[in-house]
Short mmCIF file of all heavy atoms in Angstrom, two decimals:
data_model
loop_
_atom_site.label_atom_id
_atom_site.label_comp_id
_atom_site.label_asym_id
_atom_site.label_seq_id
_atom_site.Cartn_x
_atom_site.Cartn_y
_atom_site.Cartn_z
N THR A 1 -0.84 15.15 2.45
CA THR A 1 -0.46 15.13 3.86
C THR A 1 -0.32 13.69 4.33
O THR A 1 -0.72 12.75 3.63
CB THR A 1 -1.51 15.84 4.72
OG1 THR A 1 -2.74 15.09 4.65
CG2 THR A 1 -1.76 17.27 4.25
N HIS A 2 0.23 13.50 5.52
CA HIS A 2 0.28 12.17 6.10
C HIS A 2 -1.14 11.63 6.31
O HIS A 2 -1.37 10.42 6.22
CB HIS A 2 1.05 12.18 7.41
CG HIS A 2 2.53 12.25 7.23
ND1 HIS A 2 3.28 11.17 6.80
CD2 HIS A 2 3.42 13.27 7.40
CE1 HIS A 2 4.56 11.52 6.73
NE2 HIS A 2 4.66 12.79 7.07
N GLY A 3 -2.08 12.53 6.59
CA GLY A 3 -3.47 12.10 6.72
C GLY A 3 -4.04 11.59 5.42
O GLY A 3 -4.79 10.60 5.39
N ASN A 4 -3.72 12.27 4.30
CA ASN A 4 -4.15 11.79 2.98
C ASN A 4 -3.61 10.40 2.72
O ASN A 4 -4.32 9.50 2.28
CB ASN A 4 -3.68 12.73 1.88
CG ASN A 4 -4.25 14.13 1.94
OD1 ASN A 4 -3.57 15.10 1.62
ND2 ASN A 4 -5.50 14.26 2.37
N LEU A 5 -2.31 10.21 2.99
CA LEU A 5 -1.69 8.90 2.75
C LEU A 5 -2.30 7.83 3.64
O LEU A 5 -2.55 6.70 3.19
CB LEU A 5 -0.18 8.98 2.98
CG LEU A 5 0.62 9.85 2.00
CD1 LEU A 5 2.11 9.82 2.36
CD2 LEU A 5 0.43 9.39 0.56
N ARG A 6 -2.53 8.17 4.90
CA ARG A 6 -3.13 7.19 5.80
C ARG A 6 -4.50 6.76 5.29
O ARG A 6 -4.84 5.56 5.30
CB ARG A 6 -3.27 7.78 7.21
CG ARG A 6 -3.93 6.83 8.21
CD ARG A 6 -4.01 7.47 9.59
NE ARG A 6 -4.74 8.72 9.59
CZ ARG A 6 -6.07 8.81 9.58
NH1 ARG A 6 -6.81 7.72 9.54
NH2 ARG A 6 -6.66 9.99 9.58
N SER A 7 -5.29 7.69 4.81
CA SER A 7 -6.62 7.37 4.29
C SER A 7 -6.53 6.49 3.05
O SER A 7 -7.31 5.54 2.89
CB SER A 7 -7.39 8.65 3.97
OG SER A 7 -7.60 9.42 5.14
N GLN A 8 -5.57 6.81 2.16
CA GLN A 8 -5.40 6.00 0.95
C GLN A 8 -4.99 4.58 1.30
O GLN A 8 -5.51 3.61 0.74
CB GLN A 8 -4.35 6.64 0.05
CG GLN A 8 -4.76 7.99 -0.54
CD GLN A 8 -3.64 8.67 -1.31
OE1 GLN A 8 -2.66 8.03 -1.69
NE2 GLN A 8 -3.76 9.97 -1.54
N ILE A 9 -4.05 4.45 2.23
CA ILE A 9 -3.54 3.13 2.60
C ILE A 9 -4.61 2.31 3.30
O ILE A 9 -4.86 1.15 2.95
CB ILE A 9 -2.29 3.28 3.50
CG1 ILE A 9 -1.15 3.93 2.73
CG2 ILE A 9 -1.86 1.91 4.04
CD1 ILE A 9 -0.02 4.43 3.63
N THR A 10 -5.24 2.89 4.32
CA THR A 10 -6.20 2.11 5.12
C THR A 10 -7.42 1.70 4.31
O THR A 10 -8.02 0.65 4.59
CB THR A 10 -6.62 2.89 6.37
OG1 THR A 10 -7.13 4.18 6.00
CG2 THR A 10 -5.44 3.09 7.31
N ALA A 11 -7.80 2.50 3.31
CA ALA A 11 -8.93 2.10 2.46
C ALA A 11 -8.59 0.82 1.70
O ALA A 11 -9.43 -0.09 1.61
CB ALA A 11 -9.26 3.22 1.47
N LEU A 12 -7.36 0.72 1.17
CA LEU A 12 -6.95 -0.47 0.44
C LEU A 12 -6.70 -1.65 1.37
O LEU A 12 -7.00 -2.80 1.02
CB LEU A 12 -5.71 -0.18 -0.39
CG LEU A 12 -5.87 0.85 -1.51
CD1 LEU A 12 -4.55 1.06 -2.25
CD2 LEU A 12 -6.96 0.42 -2.49
N VAL A 13 -6.16 -1.38 2.55
CA VAL A 13 -5.94 -2.45 3.53
C VAL A 13 -7.27 -3.11 3.88
O VAL A 13 -7.37 -4.34 3.99
CB VAL A 13 -5.24 -1.89 4.78
CG1 VAL A 13 -5.30 -2.89 5.94
CG2 VAL A 13 -3.78 -1.54 4.47
N LYS A 14 -8.30 -2.29 4.05
CA LYS A 14 -9.62 -2.82 4.38
C LYS A 14 -10.25 -3.53 3.19
O LYS A 14 -10.74 -4.66 3.31
CB LYS A 14 -10.53 -1.70 4.87
CG LYS A 14 -11.94 -2.16 5.24
CD LYS A 14 -12.80 -0.99 5.71
CE LYS A 14 -14.22 -1.47 6.04
NZ LYS A 14 -15.08 -0.32 6.49
N ALA A 15 -10.23 -2.88 2.03
CA ALA A 15 -10.93 -3.43 0.86
C ALA A 15 -10.27 -4.69 0.33
O ALA A 15 -10.95 -5.62 -0.11
CB ALA A 15 -10.99 -2.37 -0.25
N TRP A 16 -8.94 -4.74 0.36
CA TRP A 16 -8.21 -5.88 -0.21
C TRP A 16 -7.66 -6.82 0.87
O TRP A 16 -6.91 -7.74 0.57
CB TRP A 16 -7.08 -5.38 -1.11
CG TRP A 16 -7.60 -4.62 -2.30
CD1 TRP A 16 -8.88 -4.59 -2.78
CD2 TRP A 16 -6.85 -3.78 -3.19
NE1 TRP A 16 -8.97 -3.78 -3.88
CE2 TRP A 16 -7.74 -3.26 -4.17
CE3 TRP A 16 -5.51 -3.40 -3.24
CZ2 TRP A 16 -7.33 -2.40 -5.18
CZ3 TRP A 16 -5.09 -2.54 -4.26
CH2 TRP A 16 -6.01 -2.05 -5.21
N GLU A 17 -8.01 -6.51 2.13
CA GLU A 17 -7.72 -7.38 3.27
C GLU A 17 -6.24 -7.73 3.39
O GLU A 17 -5.84 -8.89 3.51
CB GLU A 17 -8.57 -8.66 3.21
CG GLU A 17 -10.06 -8.38 3.28
CD GLU A 17 -10.91 -9.63 3.23
OE1 GLU A 17 -10.36 -10.74 3.35
OE2 GLU A 17 -12.15 -9.50 3.07
N TRP A 18 -5.41 -6.68 3.38
CA TRP A 18 -3.98 -6.87 3.61
C TRP A 18 -3.74 -7.44 4.99
O TRP A 18 -4.37 -7.02 5.97
CB TRP A 18 -3.25 -5.54 3.49
CG TRP A 18 -2.96 -5.08 2.09
CD1 TRP A 18 -3.73 -4.25 1.33
CD2 TRP A 18 -1.82 -5.40 1.30
NE1 TRP A 18 -3.13 -4.03 0.11
CE2 TRP A 18 -1.96 -4.73 0.06
CE3 TRP A 18 -0.69 -6.19 1.51
CZ2 TRP A 18 -1.01 -4.82 -0.95
CZ3 TRP A 18 0.25 -6.28 0.50
CH2 TRP A 18 0.09 -5.60 -0.72
N LYS A 19 -2.80 -8.39 5.11
CA LYS A 19 -2.44 -9.01 6.38
C LYS A 19 -0.91 -9.06 6.51
O LYS A 19 -0.19 -9.01 5.50
CB LYS A 19 -3.00 -10.43 6.48
CG LYS A 19 -4.52 -10.52 6.41
CD LYS A 19 -5.17 -9.97 7.65
CE LYS A 19 -6.68 -10.28 7.66
NZ LYS A 19 -7.42 -9.64 6.56
N ALA A 20 -0.43 -9.24 7.75
CA ALA A 20 1.01 -9.32 7.98
C ALA A 20 1.64 -10.50 7.25
O ALA A 20 2.82 -10.47 6.91
CB ALA A 20 1.29 -9.41 9.48
N ALA A 21 0.86 -11.53 6.99
CA ALA A 21 1.39 -12.72 6.32
C ALA A 21 1.54 -12.53 4.82
O ALA A 21 2.10 -13.40 4.13
CB ALA A 21 0.48 -13.91 6.60
N ASP A 22 1.07 -11.41 4.26
CA ASP A 22 1.12 -11.20 2.81
C ASP A 22 2.56 -10.98 2.33
O ASP A 22 3.42 -10.47 3.06
CB ASP A 22 0.26 -10.01 2.41
CG ASP A 22 -1.21 -10.36 2.30
OD1 ASP A 22 -1.50 -11.47 1.82
OD2 ASP A 22 -2.05 -9.55 2.69
N TYR A 23 2.77 -11.38 1.07
CA TYR A 23 4.07 -11.24 0.41
C TYR A 23 3.75 -10.79 -1.01
O TYR A 23 3.05 -11.48 -1.75
CB TYR A 23 4.79 -12.58 0.40
CG TYR A 23 6.23 -12.55 -0.08
CD1 TYR A 23 7.28 -12.68 0.83
CD2 TYR A 23 6.55 -12.44 -1.43
CE1 TYR A 23 8.62 -12.69 0.40
CE2 TYR A 23 7.87 -12.44 -1.86
CZ TYR A 23 8.90 -12.57 -0.95
OH TYR A 23 10.21 -12.57 -1.37
N THR A 24 4.24 -9.60 -1.38
CA THR A 24 3.89 -9.06 -2.70
C THR A 24 5.14 -8.78 -3.52
O THR A 24 6.23 -8.56 -2.99
CB THR A 24 3.06 -7.77 -2.56
OG1 THR A 24 2.56 -7.38 -3.85
CG2 THR A 24 3.88 -6.63 -1.99
N ILE A 25 4.97 -8.80 -4.84
CA ILE A 25 6.05 -8.50 -5.78
C ILE A 25 5.93 -7.04 -6.21
O ILE A 25 4.84 -6.58 -6.57
CB ILE A 25 5.97 -9.40 -7.02
CG1 ILE A 25 5.91 -10.88 -6.62
CG2 ILE A 25 7.14 -9.15 -7.95
CD1 ILE A 25 5.57 -11.81 -7.77
N HIS A 26 7.05 -6.32 -6.21
CA HIS A 26 7.05 -4.91 -6.62
C HIS A 26 7.96 -4.74 -7.83
O HIS A 26 9.17 -4.88 -7.73
CB HIS A 26 7.54 -4.03 -5.48
CG HIS A 26 7.21 -2.58 -5.64
ND1 HIS A 26 7.41 -1.89 -6.81
CD2 HIS A 26 6.66 -1.68 -4.78
CE1 HIS A 26 7.01 -0.64 -6.66
NE2 HIS A 26 6.55 -0.48 -5.44
N CYS A 27 7.36 -4.43 -8.99
CA CYS A 27 8.16 -4.19 -10.20
C CYS A 27 7.70 -2.92 -10.91
O CYS A 27 7.86 -2.78 -12.12
CB CYS A 27 8.07 -5.40 -11.14
SG CYS A 27 6.41 -5.84 -11.67
N LEU A 28 7.12 -1.98 -10.15
CA LEU A 28 6.60 -0.74 -10.71
C LEU A 28 7.51 0.44 -10.38
O LEU A 28 8.27 0.40 -9.41
CB LEU A 28 5.20 -0.47 -10.15
CG LEU A 28 4.10 -1.45 -10.56
CD1 LEU A 28 2.83 -1.16 -9.79
CD2 LEU A 28 3.84 -1.38 -12.06
N PRO A 29 7.41 1.52 -11.15
CA PRO A 29 8.16 2.73 -10.82
C PRO A 29 7.71 3.29 -9.47
O PRO A 29 6.55 3.14 -9.08
CB PRO A 29 7.80 3.69 -11.97
CG PRO A 29 7.35 2.82 -13.08
CD PRO A 29 6.68 1.65 -12.43
N LEU A 30 8.64 3.96 -8.78
CA LEU A 30 8.35 4.47 -7.44
C LEU A 30 8.22 5.99 -7.40
O LEU A 30 8.59 6.63 -6.42
CB LEU A 30 9.45 3.99 -6.48
CG LEU A 30 9.25 2.56 -5.98
CD1 LEU A 30 10.53 2.00 -5.39
CD2 LEU A 30 8.12 2.51 -4.96
N HIS A 31 7.68 6.55 -8.47
CA HIS A 31 7.38 7.99 -8.48
C HIS A 31 5.89 8.22 -8.72
O HIS A 31 5.47 9.31 -9.08
CB HIS A 31 8.19 8.69 -9.58
CG HIS A 31 7.75 8.30 -10.97
ND1 HIS A 31 7.99 7.05 -11.49
CD2 HIS A 31 7.06 8.98 -11.93
CE1 HIS A 31 7.48 6.99 -12.72
NE2 HIS A 31 6.91 8.15 -13.00
N HIS A 32 5.09 7.20 -8.49
CA HIS A 32 3.68 7.21 -8.83
C HIS A 32 2.92 6.52 -7.70
O HIS A 32 3.43 5.59 -7.07
CB HIS A 32 3.48 6.46 -10.16
CG HIS A 32 2.10 6.57 -10.73
ND1 HIS A 32 1.08 5.73 -10.34
CD2 HIS A 32 1.58 7.38 -11.67
CE1 HIS A 32 -0.01 6.04 -11.03
NE2 HIS A 32 0.27 7.04 -11.82
N VAL A 33 1.68 6.94 -7.44
CA VAL A 33 0.93 6.39 -6.30
C VAL A 33 0.71 4.89 -6.41
O VAL A 33 0.61 4.20 -5.39
CB VAL A 33 -0.43 7.10 -6.11
CG1 VAL A 33 -0.22 8.53 -5.65
CG2 VAL A 33 -1.27 7.05 -7.37
N HIS A 34 0.64 4.35 -7.63
CA HIS A 34 0.47 2.90 -7.78
C HIS A 34 1.63 2.18 -7.12
O HIS A 34 1.43 1.27 -6.30
CB HIS A 34 0.39 2.56 -9.27
CG HIS A 34 -0.07 1.16 -9.55
ND1 HIS A 34 -0.43 0.73 -10.81
CD2 HIS A 34 -0.21 0.07 -8.75
CE1 HIS A 34 -0.79 -0.55 -10.76
NE2 HIS A 34 -0.65 -0.97 -9.52
N GLY A 35 2.85 2.57 -7.46
CA GLY A 35 4.02 1.91 -6.90
C GLY A 35 4.27 2.30 -5.45
O GLY A 35 4.71 1.46 -4.64
N ILE A 36 4.02 3.57 -5.09
CA ILE A 36 4.33 4.04 -3.74
C ILE A 36 3.30 3.54 -2.72
O ILE A 36 3.66 2.95 -1.69
CB ILE A 36 4.39 5.58 -3.70
CG1 ILE A 36 5.47 6.11 -4.64
CG2 ILE A 36 4.65 6.06 -2.27
CD1 ILE A 36 5.43 7.62 -4.83
N VAL A 37 2.03 3.80 -2.99
CA VAL A 37 0.98 3.50 -2.00
C VAL A 37 0.50 2.06 -2.11
O VAL A 37 0.55 1.30 -1.14
CB VAL A 37 -0.20 4.49 -2.15
CG1 VAL A 37 -1.33 4.11 -1.19
CG2 VAL A 37 0.26 5.92 -1.88
N ASN A 38 0.02 1.68 -3.28
CA ASN A 38 -0.64 0.37 -3.42
C ASN A 38 0.29 -0.80 -3.16
O ASN A 38 -0.11 -1.79 -2.53
CB ASN A 38 -1.22 0.22 -4.83
CG ASN A 38 -2.26 1.27 -5.16
OD1 ASN A 38 -2.29 2.33 -4.56
ND2 ASN A 38 -3.11 0.98 -6.12
N VAL A 39 1.53 -0.72 -3.68
CA VAL A 39 2.39 -1.90 -3.67
C VAL A 39 3.51 -1.80 -2.63
O VAL A 39 4.11 -2.82 -2.29
CB VAL A 39 2.99 -2.16 -5.07
CG1 VAL A 39 3.54 -3.57 -5.17
CG2 VAL A 39 1.95 -1.95 -6.16
N LEU A 40 3.82 -0.61 -2.11
CA LEU A 40 4.88 -0.48 -1.12
C LEU A 40 4.34 -0.15 0.27
O LEU A 40 4.58 -0.88 1.23
CB LEU A 40 5.89 0.59 -1.56
CG LEU A 40 7.07 0.82 -0.61
CD1 LEU A 40 7.92 -0.46 -0.50
CD2 LEU A 40 7.93 1.98 -1.08
N LEU A 41 3.60 0.95 0.40
CA LEU A 41 3.17 1.37 1.73
C LEU A 41 2.09 0.47 2.33
O LEU A 41 2.04 0.31 3.55
CB LEU A 41 2.69 2.82 1.69
CG LEU A 41 3.78 3.86 1.40
CD1 LEU A 41 3.20 5.26 1.39
CD2 LEU A 41 4.91 3.77 2.41
N CYS A 42 1.24 -0.11 1.49
CA CYS A 42 0.21 -1.01 2.03
C CYS A 42 0.82 -2.21 2.76
O CYS A 42 0.46 -2.49 3.91
CB CYS A 42 -0.75 -1.47 0.93
SG CYS A 42 -2.04 -0.26 0.56
N PRO A 43 1.76 -2.95 2.15
CA PRO A 43 2.35 -4.06 2.89
C PRO A 43 3.14 -3.61 4.11
O PRO A 43 3.09 -4.25 5.17
CB PRO A 43 3.25 -4.75 1.86
CG PRO A 43 3.46 -3.77 0.77
CD PRO A 43 2.21 -2.95 0.74
N LEU A 44 3.86 -2.48 4.01
CA LEU A 44 4.63 -2.00 5.15
C LEU A 44 3.73 -1.52 6.28
O LEU A 44 4.12 -1.55 7.45
CB LEU A 44 5.57 -0.87 4.71
CG LEU A 44 6.65 -1.25 3.67
CD1 LEU A 44 7.55 -0.06 3.37
CD2 LEU A 44 7.47 -2.44 4.13
N TRP A 45 2.53 -1.10 5.96
CA TRP A 45 1.57 -0.65 6.97
C TRP A 45 1.14 -1.79 7.89
O TRP A 45 0.91 -1.59 9.08
CB TRP A 45 0.35 -0.05 6.27
CG TRP A 45 -0.63 0.64 7.16
CD1 TRP A 45 -1.75 0.10 7.74
CD2 TRP A 45 -0.60 2.01 7.57
NE1 TRP A 45 -2.40 1.05 8.49
CE2 TRP A 45 -1.72 2.23 8.39
CE3 TRP A 45 0.27 3.07 7.31
CZ2 TRP A 45 -2.00 3.48 8.98
CZ3 TRP A 45 -0.01 4.31 7.89
CH2 TRP A 45 -1.13 4.51 8.71
N VAL A 46 1.03 -3.00 7.35
CA VAL A 46 0.51 -4.13 8.12
C VAL A 46 1.59 -5.10 8.57
O VAL A 46 1.29 -6.12 9.19
CB VAL A 46 -0.57 -4.89 7.31
CG1 VAL A 46 -1.74 -3.99 6.98
CG2 VAL A 46 0.02 -5.50 6.03
N GLY A 47 2.85 -4.82 8.25
CA GLY A 47 3.92 -5.71 8.65
C GLY A 47 4.17 -6.84 7.69
O GLY A 47 4.78 -7.85 8.05
N ALA A 48 3.74 -6.69 6.43
CA ALA A 48 3.94 -7.71 5.40
C ALA A 48 5.30 -7.52 4.72
O ALA A 48 6.10 -6.66 5.11
CB ALA A 48 2.81 -7.66 4.39
#
């Protein structure tokens, strides 16, 4: 659900201290939570 995704994203944003000033490299497949949540949605969540 969107609630599941929000919980996954916000946990990493808090633990890894994502900020709007962050700039990340994405070279992973986008059919897996690693590429979708960790490396794409986390930066987009905070405006990075």
Side-chain angles (χ1 to χ4, degrees):
T1 65
H2 283 287
N4 296 144
L5 294 180
R6 178 179 58 79
S7 297
Q8 294 174 17
I9 295 165
T10 55
L12 295 179
V13 167
K14 180 180 179 181
W16 297 345
E17 298 180 11
W18 280 94
K19 299 290 189 297
D22 279 322
Y23 188 106
T24 189
I25 307 169
H26 197 313
C27 59
L28 293 173
L30 279 163
H31 68 289
H32 189 275
V33 291
H34 192 168
I36 300 170
V37 176
N38 300 22
V39 197
L40 181 62
L41 293 180
C42 279
L44 297 182
W45 189 267
V46 299

